[in-house]
Amino acid sequence: MFPRPIQTASPGARALYRVALPVSLIIWLLPLLAIFLTSARTAQDLAQGNYWGWPHGTNLFGNYAAVFTSSPMGRYLLNSIEITLPAVAGTLVLSTLAGFGLAKFRFRASSFVLAIFIAGNFVPFQILMIPVRDLMIHVFPLYNTIWALIVFHSAFQTGFCTLFMRNFMREIPDSLLEAARMDGAGSFRIFWLIVLPLVRPALAALAVLEFTFIWNDYFWALVLVQSDSARPITAGLQALQGMWLASWQLMSAGAIVAATPSVVVFFLMQRHFISGLTLGSVKE
Amino acid sequence: MSRTSWVVRFLMGALALAPVAARADSITVNTDQSDPQPKAAFQEVVKRFEAANPGTHVVLNVYDHEAYKQSIRNWLTSAPPDVVLWYTGVRLRQFVQPGLLADVSALWTPAMKEAFGPTAVALVTDNGKQYAVPYTQYQYGIYYRGDLFQKAGIGPIATWDDLLGACDKLNAIGVAPIDIGSKDLWPTAAWFDYLDLRINGYASHMQLMSGKMSYLDPKVRDVFAHWKQLIDRKCFVPNHAELSMQESQALLFQGRAGMMLLGNFITANFSPEMEKVMQYAPFPSITPGVARAEDAPMDSVAVPQGAVNKAGAMKFVAFMMQPDIQEMINRYEKQIPANTQAKLVDDRFLVDGRKLLQATPDHSQFFDRDTDEALATLAMKRFQEFMIKPDRLDRILADIDRARLRIYAPAN
Amino acid sequence: MSASANRMRGGMAALPFIAPAALFFSVFVLWPIADSIWVSLHDWDGIHRMRWVGLGNYTELFGDDVFYTALVNNIWWLLSYMLAPVFGLAMALFLNQSIAGMRLYKSLFFFPFVISQVVVGLVFSWFFNGDFGLLNLGLHAIGLHGVSLLGNANWATPSVIVAGLWPQTAYCMILYLTGLTAVNGEIVEAARMDGARGWNMLWNIIIPQLRPATFIAVVVSVVGALRSFDLVSIMTKGGPYDSSAVLAYYMYEQTFLSFRYGYGAAIAVVLFAIMDIYIAIFLVIMLRQERR
């Protein structure tokens, strides 16, 4: 193990480590702690310029309630859910199928197709912006609906997810599939009955990862939707900056509300999240 | 649609996706009035219109300002609503000239023209025809802390020297004289507009706005020379580049800054205590003898050429011309009705404003409405740069003028 | 597990599996790339007809000061983001201990990466605020002059980058923590026997074994740096006066604030060309690994 386990260090070093750990964590999360504390402040405190001094009373609950009653935050939150869940599902369906096609069939263009998926996953969004927006306005009338985001995210995230699924599926022994084939099962039966149950961990990892990616998207929300009825929470929060003037207590409460779902998903499904994120960084 | 690549056309044909057909008795209205009061005003208009026209259904779509400016281009060139909110003057003509807005001259009877006055009519006219109906207007001017002015011993600000003197006096009592938030860029343009209007006059200003005059002209340099006097005397709040317009207002309300050049919409943010101490004054004169003109943007409603229910749209727009409706809208918005026969809400800022606007025939519409958007975007960034690095003036002016030449080059 | 002989044969059989993804990907990723290049050869404001200008937008771009500002800023982003793997490794080494509660500590340290960049941007704008920001409060407390970082042309870009490094470092940290669990303990012990210690051990024994983690950490940091749109948009909007613009933001601004679609597309094409270098390098390394 490296570095050397702290248990083998001198008592002084051990004590130092025990202190350094929480202190460094607090410094690391200081910006976040600051907005959390602000989300509990009263408007009067902030209006008087008392941003960091001892608060004259708190209004934690009131501020969070105000976020939902005085703004379309509830709507944004719902939109984000309505966008993220179908988009994750869509991208998983597309990429699981494609991953299987690329992992378990031999054909000449196979690496080429894979290379395209990988390359596409890295392109800067700006090169897609004008045409994708045009497509959503003029070809598929989805512009300014949650569907524009669902469809686009499903399509774009497919690049990364296909690579992920394909790599995972290559680890499934071919003999397993061959045996089923001998029994006369078609490709789809094999996919459904043998492959799918085996890739469940990969699906879970991808689902969690994609949830945070899509939930946190801001750029496409800015480009593809314009009204409150379709805006996800990231773009919504930005739009509220103007409305809440200098009401920092609401702004920070809103920011915390926007961050919470992906944080909760992360903490609940941490293992999957990290195994998805670190794919390829351990094995050579 | 303006840009139809063959692939898109092919796909459209293949999918045969027609926009959802609108019902003949339904009118779709798109606005950018997303702030609570203006939004309520529009909802009230819709309610009254539906009551006056039984069987007609109005669909009101509300967008926020920035998003609206982008989307209106999409609608007008693809599937337009029946009524759109839009600006007047140059920004109106930019949609009129490619044929995207319908002629509404029929509504502009001589009596109506009389009621709105020649300034308003000219702002919705192109080539002798009218294309919109203005319904609201607000004046710009200096909003200042009466209490702080008194404390600093400042009298009325009528001339340039008064303004400079006020700066010194406010600085002397430790108050930043002029509040501005230049992060949003556009507040800088208010200063440019007014300095140009007061130094060179309305006609010259509009020449400049329409791209016919060079930014390298000595007249423009004169504007910046005056601006520099303010910068040199430390008239503006420090750190203005970090403040949005909203954030900057806090300084005024906290008594850390003395005055602000802004539209009358600022009065909506006055708390009861502020209401008592805030005062309004028109922008001071600079060059003696130059006729006064004011920045006084109007908002209007127009009918897209491709509106499905054009007849209904015309009816709705005509409805919004009526004095009682304009009075109602502006009661909500706390602004000045465009129809001069509409009663004004009893508010000292608005009473002063209407008096001022009636006394001055020339109303510019604000920098980013009077000149091309691409030029405005670039120029306002350069204004901000000037306020921080005034010594870069030569490069700044050359840069803006290069953009002017490109943008206003005759299309080939 | 090189190409096994009994994998299922035939592109035709694979087609129904690949086709849906390929179709979506072609329509929303591949075709738009081609279309953007096409648009970049035109003058277009979204209202009037597109007007062919050939390479006109590119000639203008290469004479545009803001373009160079944005390009240089992009390079700063790229270089600074290479600190994320370094810091990430340092944090991973700090946290790679097994004591009670360590799991929770690790996830709390990782936390910033899970949060949306919009929130990160808001949090840091506030942290840096020259009037009441916590940072300036600290500076005042130790007797230094406060500055409004985001309103200052020299400080805006570094400040936004610092905000970006926060989640990026967390990301790299997690990659390295996972990498460290896979480090071969026997080799480490053997090296210890030979007297390898501290830096020496880290440099000669550990870091070579962390190569895969480093590779991914560098790749994601490069991509993160070139995609730097969100934070710039939230924190500075490219200001003051374009000093903190990056290509991704300048493109957005030209397209939607100045309504110069062709010019915006040309900026996007340049950004795409820069990214292509990295995509090519990544693909070559990836595919070479595959062959092995």
Side-chain angles (χ1 to χ4, degrees):
Chain A
M1 195 176 163
F2 186 85
R4 199 182 274 280
I6 195 74
Q7 288 84 348
T8 66
S10 67
R14 276 209 309 261
L16 188 68
Y17 188 73
R18 290 207 179 272
V19 176
L21 208 51
V23 169
S24 54
L25 182 67
I26 288 172
I27 295 173
W28 183 241
L29 294 182
L30 197 60
L32 265 183
L33 293 174
I35 70 158
F36 184 73
L37 291 178
T38 310
S39 76
R41 275 188 187 266
T42 59
Q44 293 87 315
D45 254 10
L46 293 174
Q48 287 159 9
N50 181 10
Y51 295 100
W52 305 113
W54 192 254
H56 301 106
T58 57
N59 193 22
L60 182 71
F61 179 76
N63 287 339
Y64 283 85
V67 162
F68 286 97
T69 51
S70 76
S71 82
M73 201 54 136
R75 180 72 254 169
Y76 297 150
L77 204 56
L78 221 57
N79 288 337
S80 269
I81 294 168
E82 286 171 11
I83 290 163
T84 308
L85 295 181
V88 170
T91 206
L92 288 185
V93 170
L94 291 174
S95 59
T96 311
L97 287 169
F100 179 61
L102 288 172
K104 292 298 171 190
F105 292 86
R106 255 149 64 92
F107 59 102
R108 214 175 306 144
S110 171
S111 348
F112 175 73
V113 174
L114 181 68
I116 294 287
F117 276 125
I118 300 170
N121 167 55
F122 285 133
V123 299
F125 292 150
Q126 284 69 23
I127 191 88
L128 312 178
M129 183 182 95
I130 297 171
V132 166
R133 190 163 166 281
D134 257 21
L135 283 171
M136 294 299 183
I137 294 168
H138 296 303
V139 182
F140 315 100
L142 302 178
Y143 182 74
N144 201 22
T145 67
I146 58 170
W147 286 101
L149 288 169
I150 294 172
V151 168
F152 177 77
H153 286 311
S154 300
F156 186 81
Q157 296 297 337
T158 292
F160 168 73
C161 295
T162 299
L163 169 67
F164 190 105
M165 291 311 293
R166 177 243 183 216
N167 286 357
F168 198 88
M169 286 178 182
R170 283 190 79 172
E171 308 291 327
I172 300 174
D174 286 337
S175 53
L176 216 61
L177 311 190
E178 205 49 42
R181 170 134 305 201
M182 291 303 184
D183 293 343
S187 310
F188 273 98
R189 270 184 76 82
I190 293 176
F191 174 74
W192 189 256
L193 294 175
I194 298 176
V195 175
L196 217 46
L198 287 175
V199 298
R200 268 204 218 124
L203 284 174
L206 271 186
V208 182
L209 205 55
E210 288 297 324
F211 181 90
T212 42
F213 285 174
I214 297 172
W215 184 275
N216 289 340
D217 164 70
Y218 168 63
F219 181 75
W220 291 103
L222 221 52
V223 171
L224 293 180
V225 299
Q226 302 283 7
S227 45
D228 285 348
S229 62
R231 242 186 210 141
I233 199 155
T234 45
L237 195 60
Q238 159 65 12
L240 287 177
Q241 262 193 304
M243 194 181 114
W244 280 333
L245 302 172
S247 310
W248 285 103
Q249 78 284 8
L250 295 184
M251 205 60 222
S252 34
I256 299 231
V257 169
T260 304
S262 48
V263 170
V264 168
V265 167
F266 165 68
F267 274 104
L268 291 181
M269 318 266 289
Q270 210 180 135
R271 203 167 42 83
H272 293 304
F273 188 92
I274 289 172
S275 71
L277 209 55
T278 53
L279 170 99
S281 65
V282 253
K283 79 171 209 294
E284 169 95 295
Chain B
M1 91 191 234
S2 56
R3 169 180 172 262
T4 322
S5 64
W6 64 269
V7 181
V8 170
R9 217 178 277 168
F10 169 79
L11 281 169
M12 280 188 96
L15 298 171
L17 286 165
V20 189
R23 300 200 330 261
D25 54 354
S26 135
I27 303 168
T28 311
V29 180
N30 287 9
T31 85
D32 72 343
Q33 302 291 297
S34 53
D35 297 326
Q37 288 302 313
K39 190 171 165 185
F42 262 85
Q43 283 163 344
E44 181 73 27
V45 174
V46 167
K47 214 172 85 190
R48 292 205 194 174
F49 180 79
E50 285 177 342
N53 297 272
T56 310
H57 177 62
V58 179
V59 182
L60 183 67
N61 298 318
V62 183
Y63 298 80
D64 72 63
H65 310 282
E66 288 310 312
Y68 190 84
K69 281 190 245 169
Q70 291 173 28
S71 351
I72 189 167
R73 292 169 175 249
N74 307 335
W75 308 321
L76 292 182
T77 55
S78 55
D82 300 310
V83 176
V84 290
L85 175 138
W86 196 234
Y87 313 133
T88 53
V90 175
R91 286 289 274 279
L92 182 71
R93 283 174 208 124
Q94 97 189 2
F95 290 153
V96 169
Q97 275 149 10
L100 297 173
L101 294 179
D103 178 1
V104 297
S105 304
L107 306 177
W108 284 98
T109 59
M112 273 299 173
K113 285 183 179 167
E114 169 96 39
F116 280 75
T119 307
V121 176
L123 284 166
V124 296
T125 303
D126 187 54
N127 247 332
K129 292 178 185 148
Q130 285 75 44
Y131 290 91
V133 165
Y135 67 88
T136 191
Q137 186 175 25
Y138 53 88
Q139 82 279 13
Y140 268 75
I142 292 183
Y143 292 82
Y144 63 95
R145 290 278 301 246
D147 52 342
L148 295 178
F149 269 46
Q150 204 171 14
K151 190 174 154 203
I154 301 166
I157 297 181
T159 66
W160 182 245
D161 287 335
D162 292 343
L163 183 63
L164 294 178
C167 276
D168 293 343
K169 286 178 183 158
L170 283 167
N171 271 328
I173 61 161
V175 171
I178 302 173
D179 195 5
I180 186 169
S182 73
K183 188 183 180 185
D184 284 339
L185 301 178
W186 64 263
T188 61
W191 281 93
F192 180 83
D193 276 358
Y194 266 105
L195 291 172
D196 195 31
L197 288 171
R198 292 290 183 266
I199 294 169
N200 300 313
Y202 180 76
S204 166
H205 182 63
M206 293 319 281
Q207 283 285 102
L208 187 69
M209 293 298 98
S210 59
K212 294 191 187 98
M213 187 174 145
S214 168
Y215 276 82
L216 303 174
D217 194 287
K219 286 179 162 181
V220 179
R221 283 193 171 273
D222 201 13
V223 169
F224 284 94
H226 279 78
W227 203 339
K228 189 160 183 301
Q229 291 180 31
L230 297 176
I231 297 165
D232 288 345
R233 285 187 185 225
K234 304 207 181 312
C235 290
F236 294 103
V237 290
N239 296 354
H240 56 80
E242 195 192 32
L243 304 173
S244 70
M245 186 270 286
Q246 285 94 347
E247 286 164 338
S248 65
Q249 285 178 28
L251 298 181
L252 193 65
F253 300 154
Q254 290 167 3
R256 296 159 65 191
M259 61 183 129
M260 200 164 188
L261 172 61
L262 212 60
N264 191 60
F265 48 79
I266 189 185
T267 60
N269 302 332
F270 292 166
S271 63
E273 300 88 72
M274 277 306 115
E275 182 81 39
K276 280 179 220 138
V277 296
M278 290 305 300
Q279 301 291 339
Y280 167 78
F283 198 89
S285 298
I286 301 179
T287 306
V290 167
R292 292 177 69 88
E294 301 295 334
D295 252 347
M298 271 180 193
D299 289 335
S300 69
V301 280
V303 180
Q305 191 61 268
V308 180
N309 183 2
K310 232 183 215 169
M314 293 293 263
K315 235 197 253 175
F316 187 84
V317 169
F319 189 70
M320 283 192 63
M321 279 179 123
Q322 303 310 315
D324 54 330
I325 296 301
Q326 295 219 342
E327 184 197 328
M328 180 274 291
I329 297 175
N330 287 285
R331 185 172 301 281
Y332 274 103
E333 302 196 355
K334 270 181 108 185
Q335 291 184 11
I336 302 165
N339 186 332
T340 58
Q341 291 174 353
K343 263 216 311 262
L344 190 65
V345 54
D346 184 26
D347 172 279
R348 64 192 164 104
F349 297 107
L350 290 178
V351 172
D352 286 355
R354 185 175 245 183
K355 247 187 256 160
L356 179 77
L357 295 185
Q358 285 179 339
T360 48
D362 297 322
H363 302 169
S364 48
Q365 296 296 293
F366 203 80
F367 190 78
D368 65 354
R369 295 186 182 195
D370 284 331
T371 198
D372 177 273
E373 283 158 308
L375 184 61
T377 306
L378 179 131
M380 294 189 306
K381 285 191 293 198
R382 295 294 156 262
F383 294 166
Q384 186 196 37
E385 184 168 5
F386 174 75
M387 289 185 70
I388 298 166
K389 303 269 179 193
D391 47 311
R392 292 189 187 163
L393 181 62
D394 289 335
R395 229 186 59 203
I396 287 169
L397 291 178
D399 203 25
I400 301 176
D401 205 56
R402 208 169 30 238
R404 175 190 72 92
L405 288 172
R406 172 176 53 71
I407 290 160
Y408 287 102
N412 36 2
Chain C
M1 57 159 271
S2 65
S4 92
N6 35 358
R7 250 201 280 164
M8 287 183 265
R9 85 211 108 72
M12 286 318 277
L15 195 64
F17 291 101
I18 299 175
L23 180 73
F24 268 78
F25 210 65
S26 308
V27 172
F28 292 104
V29 181
L30 302 183
W31 148 255
I33 294 175
D35 194 36
S36 272
I37 297 172
W38 177 247
V39 171
S40 78
L41 303 173
H42 294 81
D43 191 18
W44 184 36
D45 67 352
I47 300 175
H48 295 83
R49 291 202 150 276
M50 286 174 82
R51 193 168 59 89
W52 175 265
V53 293
L55 295 177
N57 285 324
Y58 293 93
T59 350
E60 191 191 333
L61 195 58
F62 294 128
D64 178 348
D65 289 345
V66 183
F67 168 72
Y68 290 105
T69 309
L71 193 63
V72 168
N73 283 339
N74 262 123
I75 294 170
W76 277 119
W77 273 83
L78 212 52
L79 294 177
S80 318
Y81 259 48
M82 292 303 107
L83 291 174
V86 179
F87 294 159
L89 176 61
M91 281 174 57
L93 291 173
F94 178 60
L95 293 178
N96 193 32
Q97 295 290 349
S98 41
I99 59 169
M102 208 57 201
R103 258 178 64 98
L104 183 64
Y105 268 111
K106 285 179 188 168
S107 22
L108 285 172
F109 269 99
F110 182 59
F111 202 51
F113 179 70
V114 187
I115 302 169
S116 153
Q117 300 246 322
V118 176
V119 176
V120 173
L122 287 174
V123 168
F124 272 86
S125 311
W126 211 27
F127 192 66
F128 289 145
N129 186 297
D131 195 21
F132 56 77
L134 205 51
L135 181 74
N136 270 326
L137 212 73
L139 289 178
H140 280 301
I142 56 172
L144 288 172
H145 244 305
V147 270
S148 74
L149 293 173
L150 297 175
N152 181 307
N154 298 322
W155 286 105
T157 292
S159 310
V160 180
I161 292 176
V162 165
L165 277 174
W166 192 47
Q168 194 66 31
T169 299
Y171 190 177
C172 295
M173 174 203 82
I174 265 300
L175 292 172
Y176 279 118
L177 272 175
T178 316
L180 282 171
T181 58
V183 163
N184 188 323
E186 284 166 29
I187 300 180
V188 175
E189 282 318 309
R192 269 201 188 118
M193 294 297 183
D194 293 345
R197 288 270 177 286
W199 283 110
N200 191 350
M201 169 87 108
L202 178 68
W203 190 253
N204 293 313
I205 310 291
I206 306 297
I207 288 184
Q209 289 199 61
L210 289 173
R211 249 190 45 217
T214 305
F215 176 64
I216 302 285
V218 170
V219 167
V220 296
S221 297
V222 167
V223 174
L226 289 180
R227 279 201 181 148
S228 48
F229 171 87
D230 297 9
L231 289 173
V232 173
S233 157
I234 297 283
M235 295 176 71
T236 65
K237 295 196 162 69
Y241 49 88
D242 296 320
S243 58
S244 66
V246 289
L247 291 177
Y249 186 78
Y250 191 44
M251 182 274 167
Y252 178 84
E253 184 205 272
Q254 286 298 308
T255 310
F256 288 144
L257 272 66
S258 295
F259 299 102
R260 303 188 66 201
Y261 289 65
Y263 199 61
I267 301 169
V269 170
V270 171
L271 183 61
F272 177 64
I274 297 172
M275 193 76 108
D276 277 345
I277 302 170
Y278 291 92
I279 296 176
I281 295 173
F282 181 77
L283 279 181
V284 167
I285 297 178
M286 263 273 325
L287 293 176
R288 199 180 288 153
Q289 275 181 4
E290 289 282 314
R291 299 253 162 71
R292 254 195 270 142

Coordinates of all heavy atoms in Angstrom, one line a residue, chain A residues 47 51 133-134 137-141 143-144 226-227 231 239 242 245 248, chain B residues 1 3 8 11-12 15 17 63-64 67 70-71 74 77-78 246-247 254:
Chain A
A47 N -29.6 42.6 3.6 CA -29.8 44.0 3.1 C -28.9 45.0 3.9 O -28.5 46.0 3.4 CB -31.3 44.4 3.3
Y51 N -23.2 39.9 5.8 CA -23.1 38.6 5.0 C -22.5 37.5 5.8 O -22.8 36.4 5.7 CB -22.3 38.9 3.7 CG -23.0 39.8 2.8 CD1 -22.6 41.2 2.7 CD2 -24.0 39.4 2.0 CE1 -23.2 42.0 1.8 CE2 -24.6 40.2 1.1 CZ -24.2 41.6 1.0 OH -24.9 42.4 0.2
R133 N -30.0 23.1 -33.3 CA -31.1 24.0 -33.0 C -32.0 24.1 -34.2 O -33.2 24.1 -34.1 CB -30.5 25.3 -32.6 CG -31.4 26.3 -32.0 CD -30.6 27.4 -31.3 NE -31.5 28.5 -31.0 CZ -31.8 29.4 -31.9 NH1 -31.3 29.3 -33.1 NH2 -32.5 30.4 -31.6
D134 N -31.4 24.2 -35.3 CA -32.2 24.3 -36.6 C -33.0 23.0 -36.8 O -34.2 23.1 -37.2 CB -31.2 24.4 -37.8 CG -31.2 25.8 -38.3 OD1 -31.5 26.7 -37.5 OD2 -30.8 26.0 -39.4
I137 N -36.0 23.1 -34.6 CA -37.0 24.1 -35.0 C -37.7 23.7 -36.3 O -38.9 23.7 -36.4 CB -36.3 25.5 -35.2 CG1 -35.8 26.0 -33.9 CG2 -37.3 26.5 -35.7 CD1 -34.9 27.2 -34.0
H138 N -36.9 23.4 -37.3 CA -37.5 23.3 -38.6 C -37.8 21.8 -39.0 O -38.7 21.6 -39.9 CB -36.5 23.9 -39.7 CG -36.3 25.4 -39.5 ND1 -37.4 26.2 -39.5 CD2 -35.2 26.1 -39.3 CE1 -36.9 27.5 -39.3 NE2 -35.6 27.4 -39.2
V139 N -37.1 20.9 -38.5 CA -37.4 19.5 -39.0 C -38.2 18.7 -38.0 O -39.3 18.2 -38.4 CB -36.0 18.8 -39.3 CG1 -36.3 17.4 -39.8 CG2 -35.2 19.6 -40.2
F140 N -37.8 18.6 -36.8 CA -38.6 18.0 -35.8 C -39.1 19.1 -34.9 O -38.3 19.8 -34.3 CB -37.8 17.1 -34.9 CG -36.8 16.2 -35.7 CD1 -35.5 16.5 -35.8 CD2 -37.3 15.1 -36.3 CE1 -34.6 15.7 -36.5 CE2 -36.4 14.3 -37.0 CZ -35.1 14.6 -37.1
P141 N -40.4 19.4 -34.9 CA -40.8 20.6 -34.2 C -40.8 20.3 -32.6 O -41.8 20.3 -32.0 CB -42.3 20.8 -34.7 CG -42.7 19.5 -35.3 CD -41.5 18.7 -35.5
Y143 N -38.4 22.1 -30.7 CA -37.7 23.2 -30.0 C -38.6 23.8 -28.9 O -39.8 23.9 -29.1 CB -37.5 24.3 -31.1 CG -36.8 25.5 -30.6 CD1 -35.4 25.5 -30.3 CD2 -37.5 26.7 -30.4 CE1 -34.8 26.6 -29.8 CE2 -36.8 27.8 -29.9 CZ -35.5 27.7 -29.6 OH -34.8 28.8 -29.2
N144 N -37.9 24.1 -27.8 CA -38.6 24.7 -26.7 C -39.6 23.7 -26.0 O -40.6 24.1 -25.4 CB -39.4 26.0 -27.1 CG -39.7 26.8 -25.8 OD1 -39.0 26.7 -24.8 ND2 -40.7 27.6 -25.9
Q226 N -36.6 27.7 -24.2 CA -36.6 29.1 -24.0 C -37.6 29.5 -22.9 O -37.6 30.6 -22.3 CB -37.0 29.9 -25.2 CG -36.1 29.7 -26.4 CD -34.8 30.5 -26.2 OE1 -34.6 31.1 -25.2 NE2 -34.0 30.5 -27.2
S227 N -38.6 28.6 -22.6 CA -39.6 29.1 -21.7 C -39.6 28.2 -20.4 O -39.1 27.1 -20.4 CB -41.0 29.1 -22.3 OG -41.2 27.9 -23.0
R231 N -37.9 24.5 -19.2 CA -36.5 24.8 -18.7 C -36.1 23.8 -17.6 O -36.8 23.7 -16.6 CB -36.5 26.2 -18.1 CG -35.5 27.0 -18.8 CD -35.4 28.3 -18.2 NE -35.1 29.3 -19.2 CZ -35.6 30.5 -19.2 NH1 -36.4 30.9 -18.3 NH2 -35.3 31.3 -20.2
A239 N -31.7 31.9 -14.9 CA -32.8 32.9 -15.2 C -33.2 33.6 -14.0 O -33.6 34.7 -14.0 CB -33.9 32.2 -15.9
G242 N -31.7 37.1 -12.4 CA -32.3 38.4 -12.6 C -33.4 38.7 -11.7 O -33.6 39.9 -11.3
L245 N -32.8 39.6 -7.9 CA -32.0 40.8 -7.7 C -30.8 40.4 -6.8 O -30.0 39.7 -7.2 CB -32.8 41.9 -7.0 CG -34.1 42.3 -7.8 CD1 -34.9 43.3 -7.0 CD2 -33.7 43.0 -9.1
W248 N -29.6 37.1 -2.1 CA -28.7 36.0 -2.1 C -29.2 34.8 -1.2 O -28.8 33.7 -1.5 CB -27.3 36.5 -1.5 CG -26.6 37.3 -2.6 CD1 -26.5 38.6 -2.6 CD2 -26.0 36.8 -3.7 NE1 -25.8 39.0 -3.8 CE2 -25.5 37.9 -4.5 CE3 -25.8 35.5 -4.2 CZ2 -24.8 37.7 -5.6 CZ3 -25.1 35.3 -5.4 CH2 -24.6 36.5 -6.1
Chain B
M1 N -39.3 30.0 -44.1 CA -38.0 29.9 -43.5 C -36.9 30.3 -44.4 O -36.9 30.1 -45.6 CB -37.8 28.5 -42.9 CG -37.2 27.5 -43.8 SD -37.5 25.9 -43.1 CE -35.8 25.4 -43.2
R3 N -33.5 29.8 -44.4 CA -32.4 29.0 -44.8 C -32.9 27.6 -44.9 O -33.1 26.9 -43.9 CB -31.3 29.1 -43.7 CG -30.3 28.1 -43.9 CD -29.2 28.2 -42.8 NE -28.3 27.1 -43.0 CZ -28.4 26.0 -42.2 NH1 -29.3 25.9 -41.4 NH2 -27.5 25.1 -42.4
V8 N -32.8 19.5 -45.3 CA -33.9 19.9 -44.4 C -35.2 19.8 -45.2 O -36.2 19.3 -44.7 CB -33.7 21.3 -43.8 CG1 -34.9 21.8 -43.1 CG2 -32.5 21.3 -42.9
L11 N -36.2 16.3 -45.6 CA -36.7 15.7 -44.4 C -38.1 16.2 -44.1 O -39.0 15.5 -43.6 CB -35.8 16.0 -43.3 CG -34.5 15.1 -43.2 CD1 -33.5 15.7 -42.3 CD2 -34.9 13.7 -42.9
M12 N -38.3 17.5 -44.3 CA -39.6 18.1 -44.0 C -40.7 17.4 -44.8 O -41.8 17.1 -44.4 CB -39.6 19.6 -44.2 CG -39.0 20.3 -43.1 SD -39.2 22.1 -43.3 CE -40.7 22.4 -42.3
L15 N -41.3 13.8 -43.7 CA -42.0 13.7 -42.4 C -43.4 14.4 -42.4 O -44.2 14.1 -41.6 CB -41.1 14.2 -41.3 CG -39.8 13.5 -41.1 CD1 -38.9 14.2 -40.1 CD2 -40.1 12.0 -40.7
L17 N -44.3 17.3 -41.5 CA -44.6 17.8 -40.2 C -45.2 19.2 -40.3 O -44.4 20.1 -40.4 CB -43.4 17.7 -39.3 CG -43.0 16.3 -38.8 CD1 -41.6 16.3 -38.3 CD2 -44.0 15.8 -37.9
Y63 N -42.1 34.8 -22.3 CA -40.7 34.4 -22.3 C -39.9 35.5 -21.6 O -40.3 36.6 -21.5 CB -40.2 34.3 -23.8 CG -40.9 33.3 -24.6 CD1 -42.2 33.6 -25.2 CD2 -40.4 32.1 -24.8 CE1 -42.8 32.7 -25.9 CE2 -41.0 31.1 -25.5 CZ -42.3 31.4 -26.1 OH -42.9 30.5 -26.8
D64 N -38.7 35.1 -21.1 CA -37.9 36.2 -20.5 C -37.2 37.0 -21.6 O -37.0 36.5 -22.7 CB -37.0 35.7 -19.4 CG -35.8 34.8 -19.9 OD1 -35.0 35.4 -20.7 OD2 -35.8 33.6 -19.6
A67 N -34.1 35.5 -23.8 CA -34.6 34.4 -24.6 C -35.5 34.8 -25.7 O -35.4 34.3 -26.9 CB -35.3 33.4 -23.7
Q70 N -33.9 36.0 -29.0 CA -33.4 34.9 -29.9 C -34.6 34.3 -30.6 O -34.6 34.0 -31.8 CB -32.7 33.9 -29.1 CG -31.4 34.3 -28.5 CD -30.8 33.2 -27.6 OE1 -31.1 32.1 -27.7 NE2 -30.0 33.7 -26.6
S71 N -35.6 33.9 -29.8 CA -36.6 33.1 -30.3 C -37.5 33.8 -31.4 O -38.0 33.1 -32.3 CB -37.6 32.5 -29.3 OG -37.1 32.7 -28.0
N74 N -36.8 32.8 -34.7 CA -37.2 31.5 -35.1 C -38.7 31.5 -35.5 O -39.0 30.9 -36.6 CB -37.0 30.5 -34.0 CG -35.6 30.5 -33.5 OD1 -34.7 30.9 -34.2 ND2 -35.5 30.2 -32.2
T77 N -39.5 33.3 -38.8 CA -39.1 32.6 -40.1 C -39.6 31.2 -40.2 O -39.4 30.5 -41.2 CB -37.6 32.6 -40.1 OG1 -37.1 32.0 -39.0 CG2 -37.0 34.0 -40.3
S78 N -40.3 30.7 -39.2 CA -40.9 29.4 -39.3 C -42.4 29.4 -39.1 O -43.2 29.6 -40.0 CB -40.2 28.4 -38.4 OG -40.2 28.8 -37.1
Q246 N -28.8 45.1 -11.5 CA -29.5 44.9 -10.3 C -28.6 45.1 -9.1 O -28.9 45.7 -8.1 CB -30.2 43.5 -10.2 CG -31.4 43.4 -11.1 CD -31.0 42.8 -12.4 OE1 -29.9 42.8 -12.8 NE2 -32.1 42.5 -13.2
E247 N -27.4 44.4 -9.2 CA -26.5 44.5 -8.0 C -26.1 46.0 -7.8 O -25.9 46.4 -6.6 CB -25.3 43.6 -8.3 CG -25.6 42.2 -8.1 CD -24.5 41.3 -8.8 OE1 -23.7 41.8 -9.6 OE2 -24.4 40.1 -8.4
Q254 N -28.2 51.6 -0.5 CA -27.5 51.5 0.8 C -26.8 52.8 1.1 O -26.1 53.0 2.1 CB -26.4 50.4 0.7 CG -27.0 49.0 0.8 CD -25.9 47.9 0.4 OE1 -24.8 48.3 0.2 NE2 -26.4 46.7 0.3

